[in-house]
Amino acid sequence: LTLSVLPPEIRSQVSLAYLLARATDTIADTKAVPRAKRIFALQQLQNLSHVPELGAIAGHQTSTGERQLLERLEDCIVALGQFDEADGRRILEVLKIIVGGQIFDLQRFPGETENELVALSNDEELDRYTYMVAGCVGEFWTKMCVGHLPALRDWNAEEMGVLGMRFGKGLQLVNVLRDIPKDLRIGRCYLPVSQPSALLDPRNFETIRPVCTRWLDVAVAHLDAGWQYTLRIPRSEVRLRLACIWPIWIGLMTIARLRAENPLDPARRIKISRGQVYGVVVRSVMASRSDVALNQSHVALRAAAAG
């Protein structure tokens, strides 16, 4: 949804970066292939110095789209040549960090089931992880915007890069907190807790509610930085504004539900409905050229997310 609305000046570059990251993520998640082989393939792709043979990994995909992506990964790499040197460098830089995060994930969580469950050790480890898989995308996005959109020529790229990094971290924290039940059952606990196996029982939620609440608060604070980022986009850049508004508002709505429900319950995946997403799109398009109108909607969503 976000890629489709991006300004044409940066849509192709960001879309290609997304495809490359999606391909490496698919490789990392293909459990039918030995972990060591997946890590080796990712290491080869980290700098795009060599395209490994991916036929075996592609053959294990149940999704037609993911299988075709791996089969045509070399085409994606060749497509880098259509961009100038600066854009190619930006794409390679962000891909290197993202793949580093995927390798970290595979090495940090050595199991594939709830019987091999491992938790991250501390807050710093979770913060580092959210940077590697999403915060770096905010930096990349900012560099691409400054490099191609004349309306942003007055941006302080370093300051906006920090806001963009926090924006990405906030979105990833929402994913982490929403996906706790699913991740636990594949051996991964991203929350730094001493007894991750206790989280397998939804009845134990009250014991870790303070931990979840604290990280939800961190996610809201990061999305506040994302909102600052969004309002600094000139009103003339409607497409770029919308591409930022949508994930922020959907993220805040998800946080509000996470506060109201039991996020450990595997039977109830917390997710915003398609109708709610369409509502976000309609409201944002109507208000996109008015900071006052945007803030009115944003304040209400943030208040619900803040609890």
Side-chain angles (χ1 to χ4, degrees), residues 95-108:
L95 184 67
K96 182 175 182 178
I97 298 171
I98 290 171
V99 175
Q102 293 162 349
I103 293 172
F104 165 82
D105 202 60
L106 287 170
Q107 293 175 333
R108 187 65 180 79

Side-chain angles (χ1 to χ4, degrees), residues 103-153:
I103 293 172
F104 165 82
D105 202 60
L106 287 170
Q107 293 175 333
R108 187 65 180 79
F109 301 108
E112 304 284 4
T113 70
E114 61 188 54
N115 296 324
E116 305 160 289
L117 184 56
V118 172
L120 293 182
S121 300
N122 50 49
D123 292 359
E124 291 72 23
E125 214 168 23
L126 177 53
D127 183 70
R128 175 176 171 242
Y129 171 74
T130 60
Y131 169 73
M132 288 192 293
V133 298
C136 64
V137 177
E139 295 174 327
F140 161 75
W141 182 293
T142 303
K143 291 174 185 176
M144 208 53 90
C145 289
V146 172
H148 288 278
L149 301 176
L152 307 184
R153 67 170 62 94

Side-chain angles (χ1 to χ4, degrees), residues 283-297:
R283 274 185 290 162
S284 59
V285 168
M286 293 176 63
S288 59
R289 292 185 182 274
S290 168
D291 288 356
V292 173
L294 283 175
N295 268 318
Q296 286 177 342
S297 290

